[in-house]
Amino acid sequence: MDISDNIEKINDKIKSAAAQAGRSLEEIKLIAVSKKKSTDLIAAAHHCGLTNFGENYLQESVEKISSINSKEIDWHFIGNIQSKKSLQIAQYFSWVHTIDRAKIVNALDAAGKNLKVLIQVNVSEEKSKSGINENELMPLADIVIESKCLELKGLMALPSAPVDGKINEKEYEKMNMLSDQLKNYYSPADEISLGTSQDFELGIKHGSTMIRVGESIFGKR
Ligand SMILES: *Cc1c(COP(=O)(O)O)cnc(C)c1O
């Protein structure tokens, strides 16, 4: 496995997906999801020009972030949040993609550090999935907007896994529609975090501005 080859291939795919969607490359950020991957691999990906990394597990990520200790990297928390871990998340990360309840907004805000946050939407409405339902979006958005330190930047989703190889594109359309609603209400919240190794091209087609790619960069976990 060669990380620089992998990144080059992904960048090519991002380029063609953006062109096909008539979108500018500048509005699409590649977030390298480095959970369970070593600091050496992260450093290698950083060396290839990547500056945004996503982590899911707090303990593991705190160790890696401290050891890499680079001001050039933006760290994105993309895992489930326990409120008692909020202080540490706020200390180590600059972005949090998985805001799904008022308790977490308040706990992160109490850390007193500026944070860019996204509200996670359960677009597939699967019981097992995190994220809010559509009708909870505006009330939770208000709570984030009224917080002292949290900056509402947009929405995040993890659509359902393909069934018989078929992706449910409706979930991506719904995400795009919800993003339009949110932007109408609060224009700074214009980011959409959508798409993994499996589906980032579809994410880009439906307006994703942040794709979260793990295995296609770092190999299988
Ligand atoms: C692990 C993870 C990813 C990356 O998935 P890959 O299949 O490795 O690209 C993206 N988003 C979230 C929320 C994740 O937990």
Side-chain angles (χ1 to χ4, degrees), residues 33 35 56 78 156 158 196-198 212-215 221:
V33 175
K35 62 182 174 220
N56 295 59
I78 62 170
M156 177 271 205
L158 197 55
T196 68
S197 296
Q198 301 303 317
R212 309 178 307 266
V213 179
E215 292 194 336
R221 282 184 297 274

Side-chain angles (χ1 to χ4, degrees), residues 3 30 35 42 66 84 89 102 112 131 137 153 168 186 211:
I3 284 191
L30 172 59
K35 62 182 174 220
I42 295 171
S66 312
K84 63 175 183 200
I89 290 174
L137 174 56
K153 296 295 284 180
N168 184 357
Y186 185 70
I211 57 172

Side-chain angles (χ1 to χ4, degrees), residues 20-181:
Q20 243 176 52
R23 299 184 54 202
S24 137
L25 263 187
E26 283 76 66
E27 63 187 52
I28 302 161
K29 207 180 254 163
L30 172 59
I31 298 172
V33 175
S34 46
K35 62 182 174 220
K36 299 188 181 164
K37 298 296 178 181
S38 69
T39 51
D40 285 351
L41 288 177
I42 295 171
H46 180 45
H47 190 70
C48 296
L50 299 191
T51 54
N52 289 279
F53 289 83
E55 288 280 342
N56 295 59
Y57 310 113
L58 186 61
Q59 200 48 54
E60 174 199 326
S61 58
V62 160
E63 286 164 21
K64 292 192 285 186
I65 294 169
S66 312
S67 133
I68 291 172
N69 192 25
S70 165
K71 287 205 163 46
E72 291 164 25
I73 294 180
D74 280 329
W75 295 96
H76 299 249
F77 192 79
I78 62 170
N80 291 327
I81 307 175
Q82 293 173 274
S83 63
K84 63 175 183 200
K85 303 277 178 71
S86 297
L87 181 62
Q88 249 193 327
I89 290 174
Q91 283 170 340
Y92 283 88
F93 288 83
S94 46
W95 286 79
V96 178
H97 291 225
T98 43
I99 300 287
D100 63 355
R101 55 199 192 275
K103 188 178 179 189
I104 296 301
V105 175
N106 296 329
L108 287 171
D109 198 31
K113 190 190 148 224
N114 290 337
L115 267 183
K116 297 181 171 74
V117 305
L118 307 173
I119 292 176
Q120 183 173 4
V121 186
N122 184 358
V123 282
S124 63
E125 295 174 20
E126 294 163 290
K127 286 235 163 51
S128 60
K129 281 270 174 70
S130 313
I132 56 153
N133 297 325
E134 258 177 83
N135 60 342
E136 298 169 299
L137 174 56
M138 292 308 170
L140 188 57
D142 274 331
I143 294 171
V144 179
I145 292 165
E146 285 159 16
S147 73
K148 279 203 308 285
C149 304
L150 272 48
E151 200 183 329
L152 182 60
K153 296 295 284 180
L155 301 178
M156 177 271 205
L158 197 55
S160 56
V163 177
D164 298 330
K166 213 173 161 344
I167 287 179
N168 184 357
E169 202 163 345
K170 288 231 159 45
E171 295 173 12
Y172 299 74
E173 290 164 5
K174 188 199 235 169
M175 186 66 168
N176 194 276
M177 179 203 73
L178 290 174
S179 169
D180 280 345
Q181 283 176 13

